[in-house]
Structure formats: C-alpha cells, structure tokens
Amino acid sequence: MELSHTVAALLVACFAGLGCIQAVTLDVKEGNSTCIKAELSASFSITYDTISSTRTVQVPLPDSATVDTGSSSCGTDESLPWLVAVFGPGHALGLSFSSNGSLYSVANLTLQYNLSDSATFPEANSSDVVTVVSATVGIWAAINTTYHCVSPVTLRVGGATVTFSDMRLEAFMPGNDLSPTESVCMADTTTTTAPPTAAASTTAAPAPTPSGTPEHGTYSVKNNNGTVCLLAQMGLQFNISYVSKSQNKTVQDLVNLTPSQTNVSGLCEASRATLVLTEEPNTTLSFTFTLNSTTNKYHLSGISLLAMWPDMTARFLASNTSLEYLRSSLGRSYMCNAEQTLIVEPTLSLNTFRLQVQPFGVITDQFATAEECQMDQDQMLIPIIVGAALAGLVLIVLIAYLIGRKRSHAGYQTI
Ligand SMILES: *[C@@H]1O[C@H](CO)[C@@H](O)[C@H](O)[C@H]1NC(C)=O
Ligand SMILES: *[C@@H]1O[C@H](CO)[C@@H](O)[C@H](O)[C@H]1NC(C)=O
Ligand SMILES: *[C@@H]1O[C@H](CO)[C@@H](O)[C@H](O)[C@H]1NC(C)=O
Ligand SMILES: *[C@@H]1O[C@H](CO)[C@@H](O)[C@H](O)[C@H]1NC(C)=O
Ligand SMILES: *[C@@H]1O[C@H](CO)[C@@H](O)[C@H](O)[C@H]1NC(C)=O
Ligand SMILES: *[C@@H]1O[C@H](CO)[C@@H](O)[C@H](O)[C@H]1NC(C)=O
Ligand SMILES: *[C@@H]1O[C@H](CO)[C@@H](O)[C@H](O)[C@H]1NC(C)=O
Ligand SMILES: *[C@@H]1O[C@H](CO)[C@@H](O)[C@H](O)[C@H]1NC(C)=O
Ligand SMILES: *[C@@H]1O[C@H](CO)[C@@H](O)[C@H](O)[C@H]1NC(C)=O
Ligand SMILES: *[C@@H]1O[C@H](CO)[C@@H](O)[C@H](O)[C@H]1NC(C)=O
Ligand SMILES: *[C@@H]1O[C@H](CO)[C@@H](O)[C@H](O)[C@H]1NC(C)=O
C-alpha cells in the first residue's frame, strides 16, 4: 500500500498578533484514490503548567501542517481510516473515522503537543509530549456527502479545546474530490430548524419582508483586536424559487433583507474574508471574498443562503463557491450604485442596490477609494456625452456669432 499526501495552503499569510487562522487542505490517499479529504481551519487552546502557575496558549493549525503518511491510513479490516496532520516540532492532530454503511463519523480526535517547544509553550515546567483523545466528537454525515460546517465548532479534548471553523470534510470518499452533496452541520442549521414548530403555532415566524426596493444596510466585521476589517453597505433582495407549502407548487419570490433585523458576523483572514448576515430566526446569507495575493485583486467568490421560511416545504440551501463577482483591487473598495444581479444557482439570485464593499485592507473604519462597476461608469458616461454635446453646440454657436460679427464689422468699414 502506497500512501501519498498533498497539503495545499489556501490561506497563507497570517495576521500579526492574535488569531492566526489559516485554512489547510489535508488528504489521505491510497494509490491514486483519495479516501479522506479535509479543508478546515483549526485552532487549539492549550493550558499547561509553568513553574509558578498555569498558562493558556492559542495555537493555530498552521498552513505548514502536513499529512503524516506513516500513521495516516485509508483503513483496513482491523483499523479505522485515520488522518494525522503534523506541524511544528512534534505536534499533531488526528481524526479517525468510522462508518456503519449509511453514516460516517469522526470516531475519535487526537491532539498531541510537545511541551519542549518553548516558542509555543514558554516556561513550561515539563518537556513531555502530551497526547489527549476525545471519542465524543459529534461530527457525522451521510456517506457519499461532504460534512460542511461554516460555524465554529469547539470540542473539548482532555484539558485542551479544539475549534474548527469553515470545515468541509469527507471520509470513505466515492471519488477523488469532495462530494458535491453536503451534509450541513447542526450549528449552521439551528437558525433554520426552529421554524417548523414556530410555523405550526399561530404566531408564524416572520419571513423576510416581501419586495419593493430593499432598505439600505451597513455592515462591518471586526478583527480579534476590535478593528474593522470588512465593510459593506447595500440593499439586498433575494430572487428565490422554492416549493410553497400554501400553494403546493414551486414559486418564484422576491424577498428583501431587513437590515434592522439582521445580525452581522464574519471572519477576516489574510486572503479570505467572510460576511455572514443572519436574519433571525430563519435566514443565513454568507458572502466569501477571496484575495489573490499575487495579483492583489479580490473578488466575491462564494455566496450561500440557508433559509427556512414558514411557507417553505423544506430547508432551502443554495451555495456556489466558484463565483467571480465584484472584482476590485487590494486597497480599493468596490462600488455599484446601479442594481446588480448576482446569480448563485438556478434557484437563487441576489439583487444588490447601491452596493459598496471592501473585504480587505480596511484602514480606520473607512472605505478606500472606490472602483466603480461598469454599469455606473456607463451611467456616468451619459451626462458626460450630453455635456460634451452641449459644450460643442455652444462653441459652434459662439464661433458662428464671432465670424458673423467680424464680417458685419468689416462691412461697416468699407462704407
Ligand atoms: C489589529 O489586527 C490587525 C490584523 O490582525 C492588524 O493589522 C492591526 O494593526 C491590529 N490593530 C491594532 C490596533 O492592534
Ligand atoms: C495511477 O495513475 C497513473 C496515471 O494516471 C496510472 O498509470 C497508474 O496505473 C495508477 N495507479 C493505480 C494504482 O491506479
Ligand atoms: C483513536 O483512533 C485511532 C485510529 O483509529 C486508534 O489508533 C486509537 O486507538 C483511538 N484511540 C482511542 C482512545 O480510541
Ligand atoms: C519536541 O520538541 C523538541 C524541541 O523543539 C524537539 O527536540 C523534540 O524532538 C520534539 N519531540 C518530538 C517527539 O518531536
Ligand atoms: C447507522 O447509524 C444511524 C445512527 O446511529 C442509524 O440511524 C442508521 O440506521 C445506521 N445504519 C445502518 C445501515 O446501520
Ligand atoms: C509542574 O508544575 C505543576 C504545578 O505547578 C506540578 O503539579 C507539576 O508536578 C510540575 N511538573 C514538573 C515536571 O515539574
Ligand atoms: C456511495 O457511492 C458509491 C460510488 O458512487 C456507491 O457504490 C455506493 O453505493 C454509494 N453508497 C451510498 C450509501 O449511497
Ligand atoms: C428573478 O429570477 C427569474 C428567474 O431567474 C427571472 O426571470 C426574473 O426576471 C428575476 N426577477 C428579478 C426582479 O430579478
Ligand atoms: C400537491 O400537488 C400534488 C401534485 O402536484 C398532489 O399530488 C398533492 O396531493 C398536492 N398536495 C396537497 C396537500 O394539496
Ligand atoms: C492569482 O492570479 C493569477 C493570475 O491571474 C493566477 O495565475 C493564480 O492562479 C491566482 N492565484 C490564486 C491563488 O487564485
Ligand atoms: C456557480 O456559478 C458559476 C459561475 O457563475 C456557474 O457557472 C455555475 O453553474 C454555478 N454553479 C451552480 C451549482 O449553479
């Protein structure tokens, strides 16, 4: 059996100071076929003893983490599939998977850390390599689907905690890439699982307000240290098609997001930023922006909507992570005053109104100079063309007048 591995860093650079969160891709292969693949960000909170007291450090899973091909495996009759990522001097994160044919789950999670690493664990009074294991992980999904959890999930492992965020993973994979069908974790669906009961009672949970031009909302996301790292303002309208409970058929609906009822969260990373807008209790919209650090250009690369409105027969999920909208440059904001349509999936598009966003390089809570969308530039062109035409006309009239005046002047002189 030959094992190989690949590790790709999706997000490379790391914010100075706190909260260095990086997404890493880890996979375990046997021959040419991949059996476990994980795309995740993880950080560990580890408490250890110093000579005088105890200390807690936050350790991120760095993008330099690699799959340990020696201990990782696709599983045999006797052993479970196991993904082991190693990083730093002797630290490791292990996930083992089991399945019963219809579901698979993380059977146990292992964290190993080396207290002799004095850069990570300063003044530790021990030089042990500590291994902690948790067998109650609660990460499971249907077989042939990808487990997906945008929300941070914190797990206790011995005296440490592990926080995963923006996690996609699959074990017992049917193909070499993550299955397109996703099993969304409870944390991402909690806002949408309540409504069925609420809808059954007389006070139905409100769906976002039906159409008209949407209200303009202003949203911002802060860093760990409280500085604003993402700014956005826009009016938002969903153009959504779903199966209506009351009409017993698929309906096309225009629904506005109400800024005053919307909670904002998100995450800023070196080359990825996420804005999550939640209209309680049943609508979660997220935008993912990606920065290409080679070209210093960014764009809106992903949109996902999770909704469970009272009239929906099932939870609505639309997600597309290969979008190329709102392109602009690092150090600039993107602006589009004209109405724009962002198609997500055949069942969902978003109409944006008076939009301005800046997902990267925000300084002092202010939008930087805007790069305007083509539609705005075209609209600005109309007054310019009209103005230029008018100026031309005035000039022609003036020249004609001057010529005429000169001629008549000359006429007087000859008399
Ligand atoms: C806050 O953190 C960001 C990156 O994490 C850094 O660029 C910025 O300088 C920090 N601001 C302050 C006031 O510490
Ligand atoms: C792996 O792929 C290579 C080239 O695509 C092929 O030559 C080789 O036979 C494959 N090996 C296995 C075990 O499938
Ligand atoms: C965790 O899983 C690994 C791999 O399957 C196994 O070797 C180890 O014994 C398990 N640990 C516990 C405590 O179950
Ligand atoms: C633990 O860290 C020390 C110091 O960095 C290193 O010398 C040692 O090899 C590490 N232990 C393991 C098991 O990797
Ligand atoms: C697998 O486990 C789940 C939950 O424990 C159960 O609902 C399901 O029926 C099991 N499937 C099989 C094939 O045993
Ligand atoms: C480290 O310190 C803790 C508490 O201060 C103590 O219980 C422990 O025995 C010490 N360990 C070593 C190896 O000295
Ligand atoms: C999973 O996919 C594989 C290959 O496509 C298929 O053989 C298998 O029956 C599927 N399993 C389930 C439970 O759908
Ligand atoms: C909504 O989407 C449908 C289907 O994609 C399209 O025909 C319709 O024009 C859209 N309406 C608005 C107001 O965007
Ligand atoms: C909904 O429509 C389908 C056919 O379109 C029909 O079979 C079903 O009975 C209808 N359900 C209700 C509750 O009216
Ligand atoms: C950045 O852009 C360059 C040029 O368009 C492209 O070749 C490269 O693959 C991009 N990098 C990423 C990480 O998307
Ligand atoms: C996602 O968006 C891309 C680009 O707009 C489009 O080509 C693709 O079909 C979309 N995917 C889905 C599942 O709709």
Side-chain angles (χ1 to χ4, degrees), residues 72-381:
S72 297
S73 96
C74 285
T76 60
D77 288 345
E78 289 89 41
S79 73
L80 297 172
W82 204 16
L83 166 69
V84 180
V86 289
F87 57 101
H91 311 308
L93 169 70
L95 295 169
S96 84
F97 294 87
S98 64
S99 167
N100 71 357
S102 57
L103 299 177
Y104 65 91
S105 60
V106 175
N108 77 34
L109 183 151
T110 316
L111 176 64
Q112 175 186 303
Y113 52 95
N114 180 359
L115 291 171
S116 332
D117 175 7
S118 56
T120 308
F121 304 104
E123 295 169 31
N125 74 344
S126 148
S127 54
D128 293 348
V129 175
V130 180
T131 302
V132 284
V133 182
S134 166
T136 48
V137 181
I139 293 176
W140 55 269
I143 206 107
N144 292 355
T145 70
T146 300
Y147 173 85
H148 188 190
C149 203
V150 178
S151 311
V153 175
T154 300
L155 305 164
R156 179 156 286 286
V157 190
T161 63
V162 178
T163 302
F164 292 112
S165 55
D166 208 355
M167 182 185 214
R168 273 175 215 269
L169 71 79
E170 186 172 4
F172 306 98
M173 294 168 68
N176 282 337
D177 230 320
L178 292 175
S179 296
T181 315
E182 294 187 338
S183 294
V184 176
C185 67
M186 295 297 260
D188 286 359
T189 58
T190 41
T191 53
T192 63
T193 45
T197 45
S201 72
T202 46
T203 51
T209 9
S211 61
T213 305
E215 257 176 79
H216 200 238
T218 301
Y219 312 103
S220 64
V221 176
K222 287 186 174 149
N223 254 329
N224 286 348
N225 62 10
T227 49
V228 172
C229 56
L230 181 154
L231 281 171
Q233 55 180 42
M234 62 192 132
L236 267 171
Q237 184 174 66
F238 303 107
N239 184 351
I240 182 170
S241 92
Y242 62 89
V243 182
S244 157
K245 211 183 278 176
S246 58
Q247 300 176 49
N248 191 21
K249 61 167 190 185
T250 303
V251 293
Q252 185 86 36
D253 214 352
L254 283 177
V255 173
N256 292 342
L257 189 80
T258 312
S260 58
Q261 289 162 22
T262 300
N263 291 329
V264 190
S265 60
L267 192 62
C268 294
E269 297 165 322
S271 50
R272 178 155 61 170
T274 317
L275 170 67
V276 182
L277 302 178
T278 312
E279 188 168 344
E280 295 295 349
N282 47 26
T283 309
T284 305
L285 174 68
S286 80
F287 295 95
T288 304
F289 297 88
T290 307
L291 174 70
N292 183 325
S293 44
T294 321
T295 57
N296 276 348
K297 302 263 185 206
Y298 65 81
H299 68 278
L300 174 61
S301 58
I303 297 178
S304 73
L305 173 69
L306 258 170
M308 183 66 220
W309 298 340
D311 194 33
M312 285 177 170
T313 49
R315 191 169 62 87
F316 178 93
L317 171 65
S319 168
N320 192 329
T321 53
S322 51
L323 303 173
E324 304 250 345
Y325 295 127
L326 322 188
R327 299 188 150 277
S328 185
S329 314
L330 182 62
R332 294 287 185 89
S333 61
Y334 174 93
M335 181 148 97
C336 202
N337 284 313
E339 179 181 345
Q340 236 180 335
T341 299
L342 312 177
I343 299 167
V344 182
E345 274 190 15
T347 52
L348 176 72
S349 58
L350 296 185
N351 295 326
T352 66
F353 300 79
R354 292 199 289 130
L355 170 131
Q356 186 169 14
V357 293
Q358 188 176 346
F360 299 100
V362 175
I363 299 165
T364 61
D365 305 2
Q366 301 275 321
F367 279 114
T369 318
E371 273 180 23
E372 284 211 57
C373 61
Q374 196 58 47
M375 274 183 286
D376 283 7
Q377 291 178 13
D378 292 349
Q379 279 178 7
M380 258 177 338
L381 222 55

Side-chain angles (χ1 to χ4, degrees), residues 386-399:
V386 171
L390 279 176
L393 203 66
V394 167
L395 207 66
I396 290 165
V397 169
L398 200 69
I399 290 167

